[in-house]
Amino acid sequence: MSELVVKGVRKTYGSLVALDDFSATFRPGEIHAILGENGAGKSTLVSILSGFVTPDQGGVSLGSRDLPLGQPTRVRQLGVSMVHQHFALVPAMTVEENFALDRLWSSKGLLNLSELAGPALELAERLDWAVEPKARVADLPVGVRQRVEILKALVGNAPVIILDEPTAVLSAEEVEDLFRVLRSLRDEGKVVLLIAHKLDEVLSVADRFTVLRRGKWITTADRGDVTKEQLVQWMIGDQLNIEPAGRKLGENVVCALRKVKANDETGVLRLTVDDLEVRAGEIFGIGGVDGNGQKELAEVLVGITAPVAGTREGDPSVAYIPQDRQREGLVLDLSIVDNISFERTSLVGFAIDNPKARRRLATELIERYSIKVSEAEGPVKSLSGGNQQKVVVARELNTKRDLIVAVNPTRGLDFRAAAFVHSSLLAAREAGSAVVLITADLDELRELSDRVGFLSGGGLKLGGDASAMLEGH
Amino acid sequence: MIATILLFSVPLILAAMGEVVGQRAGMIDIGQEGKILIGAFVGFIVAKITGSLIVGYALAVVAGVALGCLSTWFTAKLQLDQVVVGTALNLLALGATSIAFRIYVGDSGKLLSIDKAPALFGLDPVVYLAILSPAVIWFVLMKTSWGLSVRASGEYPPAVEAAGISVIRRRFEAAMLAGGMSGLAGAALSIALSGSLGEGMSAGRGFLAIAVVTFGRWRAPWVAGAALLIGVIDAVQYRFQGQAILGFKPPLQLWQALPYLGALLILFALGRGAGAPAALGRAYNKER
């Protein structure tokens, strides 16, 4: 059994350093958890290890062999298997067919399903992990789908298996079962790499930890040598307690949530908020790791999603800067003018389009928000990420609204664009709007918020103790 | 009567079998109509010039394969809209064959004719090909390794790429097979069914093939059954043309519209619904 050794890996995206001179050794027969906040560089690291991303510098070796980074298929054949958060399964096909598809390179001509799927099914048996070969993947619960995905990854007898946030989609029972299997893989002498952010879970299964912060290696430690508090400290740095500036809050409650529960689109409960009041003239900052109810909270506040229980009080006019600007904030194929000028109110009834007025408005906004465009009639997808975000911000903040909800509004933006978004939000607060800033960026939270809270497992905990976001539910 | 029905169904079955493969790989081929038309012309004219029906059929298949490659180049490689590319191909085929027809026949508008193939047990040999084709296509799609990856390409391309197989390559291969079937369908139409060549003689069969694939729920045997049913309606209308029913003599055009009306009603009853490949009509882009 051989070690997986990472040597001086560095990866940049534009001016952003995603991973900076990272080195580590992952030993066979251990479950090694890689910890870090959003944006710490975990995803970049696993993408490099599994061959999907080529680093600017450095290399990775397995035993005596250097891995051909940037060639995922080759890397996998050499024994590094990856279980992605998004499953690579064909929903309309059976479990057996999915197993077979993954081994298809080893077969030509006639399709022998039982032969191709056999090894995976035997492995399932050995791990005491039942899957029904004839069941359609689409009909299976998500935990079982993940089993199929993990079994696929294990079949080639890969010595290294990497799991990216495997517990994010699982119930508590399913997590326990997953960990049981991970332990038995460890006992077989595999390198098991676990990307995670829920500390309580990871503490119960990992043998060693490596902590990343802002692309940098912080430490690697054995389970026996660390406390949870220390890990939290390493992950967040010395900014554990966020103390808002203590401005005097306005009296006017713009929007309030009372005993609200909300589901995601698949009907799973994702958000439980007992009491949240947002007042005019404040920025209410909500921190937390992505996927803990952020999207649902934003959509309930904005009014896109109706809560399944509880009430949303107040009927404010709303501006929304969604997390996924490309899918929810913009129509990528339409022009900058169209994107920046469509007013929600004009969608009601038969307002007659006035292209001239819209072009005038667009030109004015492009000027005022200094959006870098070659031509205003060009499609918005031709803009850089930062300028796309400016288009969204310009449109949403152009008219005064009672409530502004912004989700990770500066993610992926360079320093100047981010500073611009920040000043726009502050200006909106000064103008008397209530701003809810939902972000995973603690600096942003600290700089802008008047009051803060943290989301974890769909629950909202008020107050500035950032370790709240790493607690279990 | 049975011979007539079979003959009527042959081009539709062959074209629909090709369309099944294409759609299972995720491509909706509106250009089917144009490929049939080109196949009909190439097959007929080559057969006429060389005096060999087999060479005619073979070159019709080659033309279909080439057109399949061409449209996949636009849709899979350059990621253009499949409906737009297909429509362009149809218009191109219509124009090109019309010009070829005028050059070859002159402006007289008369039909050309050709001697049909000698019958095999009372039927044109191409009928046997059409009868066999559903079983062959079913086998290729369901019982070969290639078929599994083609079906997965039409359902969830990322899983295919994750397995180390190129989706674009699979789509090219499927489109070549589908194109070859369309070319063959066209040649069967001009050489075996009509024994003559006329402008625009595909007469919507390509579109019917697409409807029939939906009707048959993307499964080769069902699709063949559906094509046969449309063939029956077509043969029946051919037979009753010009006859009075209860003292009323329906116009010729109404009779000719019957198969299409039948297809429309069936589609209306079944709707789009379940069973369609999930990635049908969508270009696959690794980066997204």
Side-chain angles (χ1 to χ4, degrees):
Chain A
M1 286 292 172
S2 29
E3 292 181 333
L4 182 71
V5 182
V6 187
K7 287 160 292 189
V9 165
R10 177 184 166 89
K11 177 71 192 173
T12 55
Y13 294 100
S15 60
L16 178 81
V17 183
L19 207 56
D20 193 4
D21 195 24
F22 178 89
S23 299
T25 299
F26 304 113
R27 303 180 199 137
E30 72 176 10
I31 298 177
H32 198 128
I34 295 176
L35 299 170
E37 285 186 84
N38 284 124
K42 292 174 298 181
S43 307
T44 308
L45 178 62
V46 296
S47 300
I48 289 171
L49 292 181
S50 53
F52 285 93
V53 167
T54 318
D56 305 338
Q57 284 171 28
V60 180
S61 62
L62 178 62
S64 57
R65 189 183 222 139
D66 284 333
L67 294 178
L69 301 179
Q71 301 175 43
T73 314
R74 283 285 296 142
V75 167
R76 201 182 134 192
Q77 282 165 2
L78 290 174
V80 180
S81 251
M82 170 91 194
V83 178
H84 293 273
Q85 254 179 309
H86 301 286
F87 306 148
L89 298 174
V90 183
M93 289 186 172
T94 64
V95 169
E96 199 176 40
E97 284 174 315
N98 271 286
F99 283 144
L101 179 65
D102 207 52
R103 307 283 299 164
L104 217 51
W105 50 268
S106 67
S107 142
K108 282 272 178 304
L110 291 190
L111 179 65
N112 189 338
L113 271 186
S114 49
E115 190 186 302
L116 285 171
L121 294 169
E122 278 162 30
L123 184 67
E125 192 118 326
R126 187 154 62 81
L127 294 172
D128 195 15
W129 233 14
V131 281
E132 168 56 45
K134 300 285 180 201
R136 247 168 47 109
V137 167
D139 301 333
L140 297 174
V142 68
V144 181
R145 283 191 220 184
Q146 190 187 49
R147 275 183 205 180
V148 175
E149 189 72 15
I150 293 174
L151 288 167
K152 253 170 61 177
L154 288 173
V155 150
N157 208 16
V160 180
I161 176 161
I162 305 172
L163 300 104
D164 188 7
E165 306 266 3
T167 60
V169 294
L170 300 184
S171 71
E173 257 170 56
E174 288 169 331
V175 169
E176 230 1 271
D177 195 46
L178 171 68
F179 285 174
R180 176 183 64 77
V181 169
L182 293 187
R183 285 189 196 102
S184 70
L185 293 173
R186 170 193 62 195
D187 297 341
E188 287 177 17
K190 290 186 192 302
V191 179
V192 181
L193 274 186
L194 194 60
I195 313 304
H197 56 241
K198 283 185 195 154
L199 269 183
D200 289 325
E201 277 175 11
V202 177
L203 279 164
S204 72
V205 70
D207 305 309
R208 285 212 295 160
F209 301 90
T210 288
V211 180
L212 276 168
R213 192 167 75 226
R214 292 167 192 228
K216 287 205 164 69
W217 177 88
I218 299 298
T219 189
T220 297
D222 284 341
R223 170 72 187 95
D225 300 340
V226 291
T227 61
K228 184 177 160 191
E229 289 65 34
Q230 198 157 21
L231 284 172
V232 171
Q233 171 91 51
W234 280 326
M235 283 168 75
I236 336 191
D238 46 5
Q239 41 180 334
L240 259 180
N241 212 1
I242 293 182
E243 295 214 10
R247 281 169 75 249
K248 193 169 174 299
L249 292 176
E251 287 302 302
N252 188 7
V253 175
V254 170
C255 186
L257 303 183
R258 314 268 186 222
K259 302 217 177 308
V260 157
K261 288 182 195 293
N263 294 347
D264 64 10
E265 58 264 40
T266 62
V268 177
L269 180 68
R270 290 285 178 205
L271 181 74
T272 316
V273 174
D274 272 347
D275 202 27
L276 173 66
E277 285 185 348
V278 189
R279 289 162 195 269
E282 74 163 336
I283 294 183
F284 198 123
I286 292 172
V289 179
D290 283 355
N292 276 278
Q294 280 86 344
K295 184 167 192 272
E296 289 72 22
L297 176 61
E299 294 193 348
V300 168
L301 281 169
V302 171
I304 297 175
T305 303
V308 289
T311 51
R312 167 182 182 265
E313 292 170 7
D315 188 20
S317 61
V318 182
Y320 182 33
I321 302 172
Q323 148 126 2
D324 190 347
R325 56 180 164 259
Q326 298 206 328
R327 271 168 51 193
E328 290 168 14
L330 295 166
V331 186
L332 287 177
D333 288 314
L334 289 187
S335 72
I336 298 155
V337 170
D338 287 343
N339 269 287
I340 213 168
S341 65
F342 54 62
E343 268 286 320
R344 260 156 302 191
T345 45
S346 71
L347 294 177
V348 186
F350 290 93
I352 292 167
D353 187 33
N354 184 344
K356 261 193 187 160
R358 290 201 296 131
R359 200 163 307 126
R360 222 178 311 122
L361 172 68
T363 319
E364 187 198 318
L365 289 176
I366 287 170
E367 177 84 25
R368 177 140 55 95
Y369 287 77
S370 50
I371 304 172
K372 289 201 189 67
V373 301
S374 51
E375 50 163 352
E377 303 292 338
V380 80
K381 70 179 171 196
S382 66
L383 297 178
S384 70
N387 282 303
Q388 287 182 2
Q389 184 72 329
K390 280 186 176 178
V391 170
V392 177
V393 171
R395 179 184 68 220
E396 296 298 319
L397 301 187
N398 169 40
T399 331
K400 184 182 178 270
R401 306 283 180 191
D402 304 332
L403 176 66
I404 295 162
V405 178
V407 187
N408 288 320
T410 58
R411 177 164 297 170
L413 303 193
D414 62 26
F415 176 76
R416 283 171 55 125
F420 169 81
V421 172
H422 287 168
S423 65
S424 303
L425 290 176
L426 288 169
R429 175 187 74 181
E430 294 313 316
S433 298
V435 180
V436 177
L437 171 67
I438 301 177
T439 178
D441 182 339
L442 288 177
D443 287 338
E444 185 168 81
L445 205 61
R446 175 208 303 280
E447 273 166 40
L448 299 185
S449 309
D450 301 312
R451 287 196 291 160
V452 288
F454 287 91
L455 272 174
S456 171
L460 181 63
K461 194 171 170 210
L462 298 182
D465 179 9
S467 65
M469 71 183 187
L470 300 166
E471 305 282 338
H473 330 158
Chain B
M1 182 68 189
I2 288 175
T4 318
I5 291 172
L6 284 175
L7 205 52
F8 266 102
S9 312
V10 164
L12 191 57
I13 292 178
L14 289 173
M17 287 305 114
E19 185 72 21
V20 167
V21 176
Q23 292 206 9
R24 274 301 186 89
M27 297 172 294
I28 188 151
D29 188 5
I30 305 285
Q32 187 74 268
E33 180 76 9
K35 287 177 192 143
I36 295 175
L37 199 52
I38 298 266
F41 266 71
V42 169
F44 188 92
I45 291 175
V46 169
K48 190 99 180 161
I49 292 172
T50 61
S52 161
L53 293 183
I54 291 180
V55 175
Y57 275 115
L59 279 186
V61 170
V62 170
V65 169
L67 287 173
C69 269
L70 183 73
S71 54
T72 314
W73 178 266
F74 284 111
T75 56
K77 201 87 186 168
L78 303 179
Q79 316 227 324
L80 299 178
D81 189 274
Q82 295 180 2
V83 174
V84 173
V85 171
T87 307
L89 186 70
N90 285 339
L91 295 173
L92 181 75
L94 194 61
T97 52
S98 291
I99 292 171
F101 190 79
R102 301 270 160 88
I103 292 171
Y104 194 71
V105 188
D107 263 332
S108 62
K110 70 170 191 284
L111 292 173
L112 286 173
S113 63
I114 197 169
D115 293 330
K116 295 190 180 187
L120 196 63
F121 304 111
L123 292 170
D124 192 294
V126 78
V127 172
Y128 297 103
L129 219 53
I131 292 174
L132 274 180
S133 67
V136 172
I137 294 296
W138 173 83
F139 186 84
V140 167
L141 279 177
M142 305 309 291
K143 294 290 167 192
T144 68
S145 300
W146 184 81
L148 179 65
S149 55
V150 163
R151 284 184 284 136
S153 301
E155 288 287 351
Y156 192 63
V160 179
E161 289 286 335
I165 302 167
S166 161
V167 170
I168 290 183
R169 182 165 163 192
R170 280 292 175 272
R171 288 193 170 175
F172 260 106
E173 292 162 353
M176 284 162 71
L177 178 54
M181 299 288 287
S182 309
L184 186 63
L189 175 67
S190 60
I191 297 175
L193 175 55
S194 337
S196 64
L197 192 63
E199 283 186 68
M201 70 181 305
S202 51
R205 280 186 177 80
F207 296 113
L208 265 188
I210 296 169
V212 156
V213 169
T214 309
F215 178 13
R217 290 286 169 255
W218 293 268
R219 292 175 207 173
W222 294 24
V223 170
L228 203 59
L229 182 58
I230 301 286
V232 169
I233 301 176
D234 203 21
V236 165
Q237 69 88 9
Y238 194 67
R239 198 172 161 154
F240 283 92
Q241 268 176 28
Q243 290 185 14
I245 295 175
L246 302 171
F248 169 69
K249 201 170 146 192
L252 180 65
Q253 288 82 353
L254 196 64
W255 283 115
Q256 284 173 340
L258 209 58
Y260 308 96
L261 209 61
L264 199 63
L265 285 177
I266 290 162
L267 269 184
F268 181 72
L270 289 172
R272 201 175 132 93
L280 183 59
R282 269 189 251 143
Y284 174 62
N285 182 344
K286 274 186 222 182
E287 264 95 75
R288 246 180 283 154

